[in-house]
Amino acid sequence: MLGLSADNHHPLMLQRVTLGLVSLVAAFLTVTTFFRVELLHHLLWSNGPENNSSCPYGHFRLVGMKDCLSWLSCEMMQSEVTVMKLIGQGAVKQVFLAHWKGNKVALSRLAVSEFSNDFFHGLEMLKGLQSVYVVKLLGYCEDHTILTEYHRFGSLTNINSILEQEDHRSFNTWEVRFRLAIEYAMFLHFLHNSPLGPRVMCDSNDLGKTLSQYLLTADLHVVANDLDALPLVNRSAGLLVKCGARQLQGDFVSPEQLWPFGDDLPFSDDLMPPYDEKTDIWKIPDVTDFLLGQVEGSDVLRLHLFQLHRDCKRNLPQQRPSALRVVQTYKAVYTLLTQESELSGTYSGTSRDL
Ligand SMILES: Nc1ncnc2c1ncn2[C@@H]1O[C@H](COP(=O)(O)OP(=O)(O)OP(=O)(O)O)[C@@H](O)[C@H]1O
Ligand SMILES: *[C@@H]1O[C@H](CO)[C@@H](O)[C@H](O)[C@H]1NC(C)=O
Ligand SMILES: *[C@@H]1O[C@H](CO)[C@@H](O)[C@H](O)[C@H]1NC(C)=O
Ligand SMILES: *[C@@H]1O[C@H](CO)[C@@H](O)[C@H](O)[C@H]1NC(C)=O
């Protein structure tokens, strides 16, 4: 009898204790989910920990520096910067890892003298577009050198290998990946409404090329790096752009970038009609699709982006959404899905424990 009653009481007590624990665990999960979402929101909307790092024009401040310094001059670059090794080679520039006063920095040098104009155009853009969206300029010299902040993760092309590394696995989520896509769209919105007028990201004839113009920062943000080909769209002057003087092919570039007159008429730059910044919008779905990768939740996300991305791929440029509308829709979808996963996270946690 004693044994029985004890047996009767014991499971009941256990159940109460378990229930208590379960509520605690559920509460804990809710709180941690909340903080995780808050943290993500913070990371997402404050544009990184360097939230108050902006300096007056012509100045910069690296992480850990108290004051803003003016851009290094030729003399300072020559005496204070030590070149270490080649880390990148494009058509226009050679990029070296270098040291400056204990900081790792990136030194770019013009590689091919024919591209001097592109180099100086890139420098003008870098100077004029300094912001959270663009790599930090630290100095330059008319002898064709540019000093910028170094980002050890390299270009956005590396995103998969970086996020798949053992110690970054916890960041390999749709939230982090989508945030990169949002920042990419935010940069395009900035570029299309920039202080230097509406600009088009022309150096983007295929996916790899497009990704290689952006760097991934160590705290997983996107900054535009290569600004060598940003022609101006001046609507009031009726001025549109062409991305280079050569014929473009393939379906990564927008339809209006293709030669419209068929095979009968040979390509001629004089006859090729110009276009506007909506070419950048056409390319957004491909870039975002790549950035989202294949992780839990990225396919659900793709479904939510289906309509917007279809609009980006409209043949008529003027029917495509603006970069701002892409950003707004992305942010709305992000919020919707984080709220959903917050709820399902809490519920499944609770029901599993019960
Ligand atoms: N600040 C940096 N930190 C880390 N890596 C960098 C940095 N700047 C450039 N790189 C690396 O060097 C590569 C080439 O740089 P960049 O795109 O500026 O050269 P480019 O000659 O202008 O290229 P393109 O052929 O696209 O014109 C980048 O894709 C990147 O991998
Ligand atoms: C800096 O952070 C604050 C609060 O997190 C935010 O309101 C503000 O917009 C941020 N500023 C910039 C320039 O990102
Ligand atoms: C941001 O930096 C400026 C200049 O260093 C400083 O005066 C200002 O107080 C800072 N603001 C915040 C909110 O930290
Ligand atoms: C656009 O063209 C007009 C008229 O030619 C000119 O006044 C204006 O400065 C140009 N805008 C930019 C951003 O260059």
Side-chain angles (χ1 to χ4, degrees):
M1 280 309 268
L2 264 169
L4 253 178
S5 77
D7 267 349
N8 272 346
H9 273 99
H10 190 65
L12 232 158
M13 289 263 289
L14 197 69
Q15 214 172 11
R16 280 199 188 136
V17 171
T18 316
L19 269 172
L21 271 177
V22 162
S23 334
L24 266 176
V25 166
F28 178 74
L29 277 176
T30 313
V31 169
T32 50
T33 309
F34 176 76
F35 277 115
R36 197 162 40 78
V37 170
E38 279 306 291
L39 183 70
L40 268 167
H41 274 284
H42 177 76
L43 282 173
L44 178 53
W45 311 130
S46 67
N47 239 306
E50 291 182 65
N51 170 267
N52 189 31
S53 64
S54 66
C55 292
Y57 180 80
H59 296 70
F60 72 96
R61 174 167 48 197
L62 291 175
V63 186
M65 279 170 59
K66 206 162 76 59
D67 301 313
C68 297
L69 283 186
S70 59
W71 289 332
L72 303 193
S73 63
C74 293
E75 293 72 34
M76 290 162 100
M77 282 171 60
Q78 267 145 26
S79 60
E80 296 172 7
V81 175
T82 319
V83 173
M84 308 301 286
K85 63 167 186 187
L86 186 72
I87 51 168
Q89 166 86 65
V92 177
K93 287 166 278 172
Q94 281 188 314
V95 186
F96 299 88
L97 170 64
H99 280 174
W100 170 74
K101 293 192 169 173
N103 301 287
K104 285 183 172 170
V105 292
L107 185 85
S108 307
R109 285 201 189 119
L110 178 63
V112 188
S113 54
E114 291 95 293
F115 291 137
S116 181
N117 285 344
D118 301 72
F119 185 89
F120 283 119
H121 170 76
L123 176 58
E124 282 316 301
M125 295 298 112
L126 211 47
K127 287 155 82 173
L129 300 180
Q130 285 293 294
S131 60
V132 284
Y133 306 106
V134 170
V135 72
K136 231 173 252 174
L137 180 63
L138 311 182
Y140 63 90
C141 183
E142 306 297 328
D143 73 354
H144 298 109
T145 48
I146 293 177
L147 196 68
T148 52
E149 185 171 20
Y150 170 70
H151 294 287
R152 62 192 162 89
F153 288 170
S155 89
L156 262 191
T157 0
N158 301 334
I159 181 73
N160 288 323
S161 60
I162 299 287
L163 290 180
E164 280 158 17
Q165 278 170 22
E166 200 57 63
D167 40 343
H168 300 144
R169 285 269 165 81
S170 61
F171 295 105
N172 195 10
T173 60
W174 71 261
E175 287 100 327
V176 168
R177 285 171 167 274
F178 192 26
R179 204 187 64 210
L180 298 175
I182 296 174
E183 290 183 355
Y184 165 72
M186 285 167 76
F187 166 73
L188 288 182
H189 169 58
F190 170 72
L191 192 66
H192 295 171
N193 303 272
S194 95
L196 304 179
R199 301 265 163 184
V200 181
M201 187 53 151
C202 266
D203 222 340
S204 59
N205 294 341
D206 59 59
L207 178 63
K209 191 74 181 169
T210 307
L211 295 165
S212 78
Q213 315 303 0
Y214 302 85
L215 297 171
L216 182 62
T217 71
D219 53 356
L220 302 180
H221 291 280
V222 176
V223 288
N225 174 58
D226 183 356
L227 309 179
D228 294 350
L230 305 182
L232 172 72
V233 173
N234 191 333
R235 288 230 158 64
S236 59
L239 213 72
L240 298 177
V241 308
K242 279 188 263 184
C243 291
R246 281 181 302 147
Q247 182 171 7
L248 299 178
Q249 262 141 2
D251 53 15
F252 184 81
V253 299
S254 64
E256 68 273 18
Q257 291 188 282
L258 300 173
W259 177 241
F261 302 119
D263 292 337
D264 299 339
L265 194 62
F267 177 85
S268 133
D269 185 41
D270 293 336
L271 295 179
M272 177 68 202
Y275 36 85
D276 66 12
E277 75 276 13
K278 290 293 177 79
T279 55
D280 287 333
I281 306 296
W282 170 273
K283 295 162 186 172
I284 290 177
D286 299 86
V287 173
T288 294
D289 195 44
F290 173 81
L291 291 175
L292 293 185
Q294 290 299 331
V295 295
E296 197 183 326
S298 54
D299 278 338
V300 173
L301 185 48
R302 281 187 180 89
L303 283 179
H304 282 268
L305 300 179
F306 183 79
Q307 184 59 49
L308 176 71
H309 282 176
R310 208 167 57 174
D311 290 344
C312 292
K313 291 288 188 186
R314 286 192 186 277
N315 273 322
L316 287 178
Q318 63 271 26
Q319 289 181 348
R320 293 175 208 147
S322 64
L324 179 60
R325 238 203 58 221
V326 174
V327 170
Q328 288 169 338
T329 310
Y330 276 9
K331 284 184 174 181
V333 170
Y334 183 92
T335 304
L336 177 81
L337 289 182
T338 44
Q339 280 165 355
E340 262 175 24
S341 73
E342 191 179 352
L343 287 176
S344 69
T346 314
Y347 287 146
S348 69
T350 314
S351 54
R352 214 183 309 121
D353 285 332
L354 276 171

PDB file of all heavy atoms in Angstrom, residues 125 127-131 189-199 232:
ATOM      1  N   MET A 125      34.529  58.499 -56.999  1.00  0.00           N
ATOM      2  CA  MET A 125      33.319  57.883 -56.450  1.00  0.00           C
ATOM      3  C   MET A 125      33.535  57.495 -54.976  1.00  0.00           C
ATOM      4  O   MET A 125      32.684  57.718 -54.126  1.00  0.00           O
ATOM      5  CB  MET A 125      32.929  56.637 -57.266  1.00  0.00           C
ATOM      6  CG  MET A 125      32.524  56.927 -58.691  1.00  0.00           C
ATOM      7  SD  MET A 125      31.063  57.977 -58.807  1.00  0.00           S
ATOM      8  CE  MET A 125      31.759  59.461 -59.468  1.00  0.00           C
ATOM      9  N   LYS A 127      35.574  58.826 -52.867  1.00  0.00           N
ATOM     10  CA  LYS A 127      35.596  60.031 -52.056  1.00  0.00           C
ATOM     11  C   LYS A 127      34.181  60.574 -51.858  1.00  0.00           C
ATOM     12  O   LYS A 127      33.795  60.937 -50.742  1.00  0.00           O
ATOM     13  CB  LYS A 127      36.464  61.110 -52.729  1.00  0.00           C
ATOM     14  CG  LYS A 127      37.959  60.824 -52.662  1.00  0.00           C
ATOM     15  CD  LYS A 127      38.725  61.501 -53.780  1.00  0.00           C
ATOM     16  CE  LYS A 127      39.028  62.962 -53.484  1.00  0.00           C
ATOM     17  NZ  LYS A 127      39.924  63.532 -54.543  1.00  0.00           N
ATOM     18  N   GLY A 128      33.416  60.599 -52.944  1.00  0.00           N
ATOM     19  CA  GLY A 128      32.102  61.248 -52.896  1.00  0.00           C
ATOM     20  C   GLY A 128      31.009  60.403 -52.271  1.00  0.00           C
ATOM     21  O   GLY A 128      29.962  60.928 -51.896  1.00  0.00           O
ATOM     22  N   LEU A 129      31.229  59.083 -52.186  1.00  0.00           N
ATOM     23  CA  LEU A 129      30.156  58.209 -51.698  1.00  0.00           C
ATOM     24  C   LEU A 129      30.475  57.590 -50.331  1.00  0.00           C
ATOM     25  O   LEU A 129      29.795  56.648 -49.906  1.00  0.00           O
ATOM     26  CB  LEU A 129      29.880  57.094 -52.722  1.00  0.00           C
ATOM     27  CG  LEU A 129      29.438  57.556 -54.120  1.00  0.00           C
ATOM     28  CD1 LEU A 129      29.209  56.368 -55.037  1.00  0.00           C
ATOM     29  CD2 LEU A 129      28.170  58.409 -54.047  1.00  0.00           C
ATOM     30  N   GLN A 130      31.480  58.119 -49.633  1.00  0.00           N
ATOM     31  CA  GLN A 130      31.824  57.606 -48.305  1.00  0.00           C
ATOM     32  C   GLN A 130      30.578  57.596 -47.412  1.00  0.00           C
ATOM     33  O   GLN A 130      29.918  58.619 -47.230  1.00  0.00           O
ATOM     34  CB  GLN A 130      32.921  58.467 -47.666  1.00  0.00           C
ATOM     35  CG  GLN A 130      34.312  58.240 -48.244  1.00  0.00           C
ATOM     36  CD  GLN A 130      34.854  56.860 -47.936  1.00  0.00           C
ATOM     37  OE1 GLN A 130      35.120  56.521 -46.790  1.00  0.00           O
ATOM     38  NE2 GLN A 130      35.005  56.031 -48.966  1.00  0.00           N
ATOM     39  N   SER A 131      30.283  56.427 -46.844  1.00  0.00           N
ATOM     40  CA  SER A 131      29.066  56.226 -46.046  1.00  0.00           C
ATOM     41  C   SER A 131      29.126  54.807 -45.494  1.00  0.00           C
ATOM     42  O   SER A 131      30.073  54.077 -45.792  1.00  0.00           O
ATOM     43  CB  SER A 131      27.834  56.354 -46.944  1.00  0.00           C
ATOM     44  OG  SER A 131      27.891  55.367 -47.964  1.00  0.00           O
ATOM     45  N   HIS A 189      19.896  51.427 -53.423  1.00  0.00           N
ATOM     46  CA  HIS A 189      19.024  52.582 -53.190  1.00  0.00           C
ATOM     47  C   HIS A 189      19.869  53.841 -52.957  1.00  0.00           C
ATOM     48  O   HIS A 189      19.582  54.910 -53.504  1.00  0.00           O
ATOM     49  CB  HIS A 189      18.095  52.312 -51.999  1.00  0.00           C
ATOM     50  CG  HIS A 189      17.369  53.527 -51.543  1.00  0.00           C
ATOM     51  ND1 HIS A 189      16.548  54.262 -52.379  1.00  0.00           N
ATOM     52  CD2 HIS A 189      17.342  54.174 -50.352  1.00  0.00           C
ATOM     53  CE1 HIS A 189      16.053  55.299 -51.725  1.00  0.00           C
ATOM     54  NE2 HIS A 189      16.518  55.281 -50.493  1.00  0.00           N
ATOM     55  N   PHE A 190      20.914  53.677 -52.160  1.00  0.00           N
ATOM     56  CA  PHE A 190      21.840  54.795 -51.913  1.00  0.00           C
ATOM     57  C   PHE A 190      22.462  55.270 -53.233  1.00  0.00           C
ATOM     58  O   PHE A 190      22.492  56.468 -53.534  1.00  0.00           O
ATOM     59  CB  PHE A 190      22.923  54.336 -50.927  1.00  0.00           C
ATOM     60  CG  PHE A 190      24.066  55.304 -50.758  1.00  0.00           C
ATOM     61  CD1 PHE A 190      23.894  56.494 -50.064  1.00  0.00           C
ATOM     62  CD2 PHE A 190      25.320  55.017 -51.283  1.00  0.00           C
ATOM     63  CE1 PHE A 190      24.956  57.389 -49.910  1.00  0.00           C
ATOM     64  CE2 PHE A 190      26.389  55.907 -51.131  1.00  0.00           C
ATOM     65  CZ  PHE A 190      26.190  57.091 -50.445  1.00  0.00           C
ATOM     66  N   LEU A 191      22.928  54.305 -54.034  1.00  0.00           N
ATOM     67  CA  LEU A 191      23.603  54.626 -55.295  1.00  0.00           C
ATOM     68  C   LEU A 191      22.662  55.338 -56.273  1.00  0.00           C
ATOM     69  O   LEU A 191      23.059  56.282 -56.951  1.00  0.00           O
ATOM     70  CB  LEU A 191      24.111  53.322 -55.922  1.00  0.00           C
ATOM     71  CG  LEU A 191      25.084  53.442 -57.093  1.00  0.00           C
ATOM     72  CD1 LEU A 191      26.391  54.050 -56.629  1.00  0.00           C
ATOM     73  CD2 LEU A 191      25.324  52.072 -57.718  1.00  0.00           C
ATOM     74  N   HIS A 192      21.420  54.898 -56.309  1.00  0.00           N
ATOM     75  CA  HIS A 192      20.455  55.460 -57.263  1.00  0.00           C
ATOM     76  C   HIS A 192      19.969  56.845 -56.824  1.00  0.00           C
ATOM     77  O   HIS A 192      19.272  57.521 -57.574  1.00  0.00           O
ATOM     78  CB  HIS A 192      19.273  54.508 -57.450  1.00  0.00           C
ATOM     79  CG  HIS A 192      19.668  53.208 -58.087  1.00  0.00           C
ATOM     80  ND1 HIS A 192      18.825  52.124 -58.188  1.00  0.00           N
ATOM     81  CD2 HIS A 192      20.849  52.816 -58.670  1.00  0.00           C
ATOM     82  CE1 HIS A 192      19.451  51.126 -58.787  1.00  0.00           C
ATOM     83  NE2 HIS A 192      20.682  51.515 -59.086  1.00  0.00           N
ATOM     84  N   ASN A 193      20.300  57.220 -55.591  1.00  0.00           N
ATOM     85  CA  ASN A 193      19.906  58.531 -55.069  1.00  0.00           C
ATOM     86  C   ASN A 193      21.110  59.187 -54.397  1.00  0.00           C
ATOM     87  O   ASN A 193      20.992  59.829 -53.369  1.00  0.00           O
ATOM     88  CB  ASN A 193      18.774  58.369 -54.044  1.00  0.00           C
ATOM     89  CG  ASN A 193      17.575  57.662 -54.649  1.00  0.00           C
ATOM     90  OD1 ASN A 193      16.711  58.301 -55.219  1.00  0.00           O
ATOM     91  ND2 ASN A 193      17.526  56.342 -54.542  1.00  0.00           N
ATOM     92  N   SER A 194      22.265  59.013 -54.992  1.00  0.00           N
ATOM     93  CA  SER A 194      23.493  59.352 -54.278  1.00  0.00           C
ATOM     94  C   SER A 194      23.765  60.852 -54.293  1.00  0.00           C
ATOM     95  O   SER A 194      23.212  61.595 -55.118  1.00  0.00           O
ATOM     96  CB  SER A 194      24.678  58.611 -54.899  1.00  0.00           C
ATOM     97  OG  SER A 194      25.343  59.417 -55.843  1.00  0.00           O
ATOM     98  N   PRO A 195      24.642  61.313 -53.391  1.00  0.00           N
ATOM     99  CA  PRO A 195      25.033  62.722 -53.384  1.00  0.00           C
ATOM    100  C   PRO A 195      25.699  63.129 -54.707  1.00  0.00           C
ATOM    101  O   PRO A 195      25.764  64.310 -55.022  1.00  0.00           O
ATOM    102  CB  PRO A 195      26.026  62.828 -52.218  1.00  0.00           C
ATOM    103  CG  PRO A 195      26.252  61.452 -51.716  1.00  0.00           C
ATOM    104  CD  PRO A 195      25.206  60.570 -52.263  1.00  0.00           C
ATOM    105  N   LEU A 196      26.166  62.162 -55.484  1.00  0.00           N
ATOM    106  CA  LEU A 196      26.767  62.462 -56.782  1.00  0.00           C
ATOM    107  C   LEU A 196      25.774  62.226 -57.920  1.00  0.00           C
ATOM    108  O   LEU A 196      26.171  62.022 -59.070  1.00  0.00           O
ATOM    109  CB  LEU A 196      28.030  61.611 -56.993  1.00  0.00           C
ATOM    110  CG  LEU A 196      29.123  61.735 -55.919  1.00  0.00           C
ATOM    111  CD1 LEU A 196      30.304  60.819 -56.231  1.00  0.00           C
ATOM    112  CD2 LEU A 196      29.596  63.186 -55.790  1.00  0.00           C
ATOM    113  N   GLY A 197      24.482  62.209 -57.587  1.00  0.00           N
ATOM    114  CA  GLY A 197      23.455  61.955 -58.596  1.00  0.00           C
ATOM    115  C   GLY A 197      23.185  60.470 -58.736  1.00  0.00           C
ATOM    116  O   GLY A 197      23.902  59.649 -58.155  1.00  0.00           O
ATOM    117  N   PRO A 198      22.126  60.094 -59.482  1.00  0.00           N
ATOM    118  CA  PRO A 198      21.803  58.667 -59.654  1.00  0.00           C
ATOM    119  C   PRO A 198      22.893  57.954 -60.443  1.00  0.00           C
ATOM    120  O   PRO A 198      23.248  58.384 -61.526  1.00  0.00           O
ATOM    121  CB  PRO A 198      20.499  58.691 -60.460  1.00  0.00           C
ATOM    122  CG  PRO A 198      20.015  60.101 -60.429  1.00  0.00           C
ATOM    123  CD  PRO A 198      21.208  60.973 -60.215  1.00  0.00           C
ATOM    124  N   ARG A 199      23.419  56.902 -59.850  1.00  0.00           N
ATOM    125  CA  ARG A 199      24.529  56.175 -60.476  1.00  0.00           C
ATOM    126  C   ARG A 199      24.145  54.720 -60.722  1.00  0.00           C
ATOM    127  O   ARG A 199      23.359  54.146 -59.983  1.00  0.00           O
ATOM    128  CB  ARG A 199      25.751  56.215 -59.560  1.00  0.00           C
ATOM    129  CG  ARG A 199      26.233  57.631 -59.252  1.00  0.00           C
ATOM    130  CD  ARG A 199      27.323  58.015 -60.191  1.00  0.00           C
ATOM    131  NE  ARG A 199      27.580  59.462 -60.237  1.00  0.00           N
ATOM    132  CZ  ARG A 199      28.463  60.005 -61.064  1.00  0.00           C
ATOM    133  NH1 ARG A 199      29.147  59.223 -61.888  1.00  0.00           N
ATOM    134  NH2 ARG A 199      28.655  61.303 -61.092  1.00  0.00           N
ATOM    135  N   LEU A 232      26.642  58.257 -64.563  1.00  0.00           N
ATOM    136  CA  LEU A 232      25.561  59.082 -64.033  1.00  0.00           C
ATOM    137  C   LEU A 232      24.330  59.048 -64.931  1.00  0.00           C
ATOM    138  O   LEU A 232      24.436  59.170 -66.145  1.00  0.00           O
ATOM    139  CB  LEU A 232      26.061  60.524 -63.930  1.00  0.00           C
ATOM    140  CG  LEU A 232      25.042  61.611 -63.583  1.00  0.00           C
ATOM    141  CD1 LEU A 232      24.621  61.513 -62.127  1.00  0.00           C
ATOM    142  CD2 LEU A 232      25.620  62.991 -63.890  1.00  0.00           C
TER     143      LEU A 232
END
